[in-house]
Amino acid sequence: FTGNVASSNTTDGFNFSNANSNTISNNRAENNSGGDGLELADCDGNIVTGNVFKGNGVIGIQLWSGTGSDLNVIQSNLISGNTSTGIELDESDTNLVIGNDLTGNGLAVKLKASSVQNVITKNNIVGNSNGNISDSTGMPNTITRNWYGSPDSAAVKAKVTDTANAFVPYRLGLVDTAAGADTTAPKAPDTVTVTVSDTSLIVKWEV
């Protein structure tokens, strides 16, 4: 499913139900005022890559339904300016969310109900007005190596709500989200000091 445009509808841009093992790539869902950019309901094993989900009235990408949507890969998408949430996982397990740009949404990523064993990693999650990560599941999910727009742990923590999982380690600089790439190095430290004694070597740095 590739090369399609869904724009200015009053419902979802794209809606899949019980659709498994598909590749959804290079599509655009924009300004759909009454729904999501992409909804996957009871859909397993799909790859969602290289799409734009922008300015939709509810959620950019939603995975949900009775048994949830499992084992999907959400990779290298632009998810921006969606009113409620960028990506929402509801009763959905073992999904990989990697290398996406999530900017200017209400909330960037939301995990809810009993969603478990999902991996949220190497995403740029910046400038989302109501927070970056909300995980109310109390279940083990992996949230790691994302860039939150600041290297300051207090600033990062202020926009993460999580009942069971840590958000560290996190990136100190922008993630290269091009497909297959992760090459942008973190910002160099502003200062580095080394203290040497007979029994130790202490290195300190500030960014």
Side-chain angles (χ1 to χ4, degrees), residues 10 25 30 40 57 68 76 95 110 118 131 135 138 164 168-169 171 185 197 199:
T10 57
S25 64
E30 299 178 282
L40 300 179
S76 300
N95 297 287
K110 184 174 186 177
N118 297 287
D135 181 0
V168 292
R171 294 288 291 250
S197 70
T199 58

Side-chain angles (χ1 to χ4, degrees), residues 93-123:
D93 305 336
T94 323
N95 297 287
L96 174 62
V97 177
I98 183 170
N100 301 282
D101 288 299
L102 293 117
T103 63
N105 302 285
L107 174 67
V109 179
K110 184 174 186 177
L111 296 92
K112 59 187 290 190
S114 61
S115 297
V116 65
Q117 298 295 346
N118 297 287
V119 177
I120 316 296
T121 187
K122 297 183 185 177
N123 301 284

Side-chain angles (χ1 to χ4, degrees), residues 31-115:
N31 303 316
N32 298 289
S33 61
D36 304 332
L38 171 65
E39 184 174 299
L40 300 179
D42 292 319
C43 296
D44 301 336
N46 297 286
I47 299 172
V48 181
T49 184
N51 304 282
V52 175
F53 303 104
K54 185 176 180 181
N56 297 289
V58 187
I59 300 167
I61 302 175
Q62 184 183 38
L63 279 61
W64 76 295
S65 207
T67 60
S69 292
D70 307 330
L71 297 167
N72 299 286
V73 177
I74 312 297
Q75 182 173 16
S76 300
N77 301 282
L78 173 61
I79 304 161
S80 176
N82 300 285
T83 301
S84 173
T85 307
I87 297 174
E88 181 175 288
L89 307 182
D90 184 354
E91 295 280 4
S92 296
D93 305 336
T94 323
N95 297 287
L96 174 62
V97 177
I98 183 170
N100 301 282
D101 288 299
L102 293 117
T103 63
N105 302 285
L107 174 67
V109 179
K110 184 174 186 177
L111 296 92
K112 59 187 290 190
S114 61
S115 297

Side-chain angles (χ1 to χ4, degrees), residues 156-169:
V156 173
K157 186 176 181 180
K159 287 203 165 188
V160 174
T161 304
D162 195 332
T163 57
N165 308 282
F167 60 88
V168 292

